[in-house]
Amino acid sequence: EGGKADGAMMELGAGRFLPGFDEQIAGMQPGEKKRLDVVFPANFYDEDLQGKEAYFHVTLQSIKKRQMAELTDDWAKEHGYESLADMRAKIREEMEGGAKEIGQDELRRSLLKALDEKISVELSQSVVQRQAEDIMRGIERQHKGGRKEVLDQLVKDGKTEADLEAEVRERARRQLKNSLILDSIAKLKNIRVSEDDLEKRIDRIAAARQSTHEAVHEELEKEGRLADLQYAILHEKVVEFLLENADIR
């Protein structure tokens, strides 16, 4: 009741709608109307709809088929490249850059793991708990169904709420410990975040969002997150310093 969508696109067989929806659409012809009867899954994020029967009146407007475009210089120019050769070269460059970035990420993870294993730091359990609660709230915000959807996913993965809490607590411990270690190294080596470092990072964020430097800066300042961004940049600079000076065998 009350639900309506005009001109909605769906990919047949992708399974992105309710169970049984795709199967009832299959075989319809353009202009054909049909009533589709479905049942909301028992693990649906909205508890009020779990296990409930529902129906949709559907009119199939058209059928489209995916086709591979013919790769020509004209097609490449339409997508912002100078030519087909230019497109291939730039895509190859992006792929190689991505592979290099993945390699750097692996190095960073290995470095932080080594620091965690080799350096002892005493952490207050109450501080770890607060950090874990912050992480959990962030996880819940990432799911439209909130905590209920998170717990439903645990069941699908064969895990319990206790498993999740243990994982989150361990993640909180590592984050806090790494932060303290990196802060100490920053002070010891006089590593700082300059105004230029911050401005360049804001430029990168703005470019990724297709926004402006001023808009991103205003948003960060309004939400009180400029200091968090500076802190993140500082830790990145410390990690880069350690990687540049590490004896990697």
Side-chain angles (χ1 to χ4, degrees):
E1 294 180 359
K4 182 179 180 180
D6 293 321
M9 297 281 291
M10 69 169 289
E11 182 180 355
L12 194 64
R16 295 185 183 132
F17 284 66
L18 295 170
F21 200 98
D22 285 26
E23 291 82 353
Q24 296 179 73
I25 289 286
M28 289 182 65
Q29 298 299 316
E32 184 179 348
K33 297 181 179 181
K34 190 175 183 180
R35 167 174 163 152
L36 310 183
D37 294 292
V38 297
V39 177
F40 285 91
N43 61 354
F44 195 67
Y45 73 87
D46 188 335
E47 292 184 6
D48 293 335
L49 295 176
Q50 291 176 0
K52 296 286 183 66
E53 295 181 357
Y55 62 86
F56 296 85
H57 289 295
V58 174
T59 300
L60 184 64
Q61 296 178 349
S62 63
I63 299 174
K64 299 181 185 295
K65 182 179 179 181
R66 285 189 175 182
Q67 292 183 324
M68 178 67 73
E70 184 180 357
L71 300 182
T72 64
D73 284 338
D74 289 338
W75 186 89
K77 289 175 182 177
E78 288 176 6
H79 290 78
Y81 298 97
E82 294 179 4
S83 64
L84 187 57
D86 176 56
M87 182 189 77
R88 286 172 171 158
K90 286 181 177 175
I91 290 175
R92 185 181 300 110
E93 183 180 336
E94 290 173 3
M95 292 176 66
E96 290 173 350
K100 182 179 180 181
E101 186 62 33
I102 291 172
Q104 286 295 105
D105 287 343
E106 284 296 326
L107 278 176
R108 293 186 188 102
R109 279 193 288 271
S110 297
L111 173 63
L112 293 174
K113 182 179 179 182
L115 292 174
D116 184 29
E117 292 173 349
K118 296 181 181 298
I119 300 176
S120 297
V121 175
E122 289 293 328
L123 294 171
S124 164
Q125 293 305 306
S126 61
V127 172
V128 173
Q129 182 60 32
R130 283 198 296 273
Q131 180 74 358
E133 290 170 358
D134 285 343
I135 292 173
M136 184 64 78
R137 281 192 288 270
I139 293 174
E140 291 173 3
R141 282 195 298 270
Q142 291 172 5
H143 293 76
K144 186 164 58 174
R147 186 174 183 81
K148 177 66 170 59
E149 188 177 348
V150 173
L151 296 180
D152 287 344
Q153 187 60 50
L154 283 177
V155 174
K156 292 180 183 177
D157 295 340
K159 296 182 179 181
T160 65
E161 189 172 354
D163 293 330
L164 176 62
E165 289 174 352
E167 291 174 7
V168 169
R169 190 173 180 83
E170 173 59 18
R171 182 173 159 191
R173 183 199 66 78
R174 286 198 310 269
Q175 285 184 357
L176 289 169
K177 184 176 179 181
N178 286 335
S179 290
L180 290 173
I181 293 172
L182 296 176
D183 286 347
S184 297
I185 295 173
K187 291 178 182 176
L188 182 66
K189 296 299 181 179
N190 197 32
I191 300 173
R192 301 168 187 251
V193 176
S194 67
E195 189 66 27
D196 188 53
D197 291 328
L198 182 61
E199 295 302 308
K200 285 181 178 177
R201 179 57 58 86
I202 292 175
D203 281 338
R204 282 172 52 187
I205 296 172
R209 294 183 182 178
Q210 295 185 327
S211 182
T212 65
H213 179 103
E214 292 74 18
V216 172
H217 190 284
E218 182 179 350
E219 177 189 329
L220 292 170
E221 193 170 39
K222 183 178 180 180
E223 296 178 359
R225 292 193 290 134
L226 274 175
D228 292 338
L229 181 58
Q230 287 178 307
Y231 200 51
I233 297 171
L234 176 65
H235 284 179
E236 289 177 14
K237 293 185 73 170
V238 174
V239 169
E240 292 304 318
F241 168 81
L242 293 172
L243 287 175
E244 288 171 3
N245 293 276
D247 182 11
I248 302 175
R249 300 177 187 277

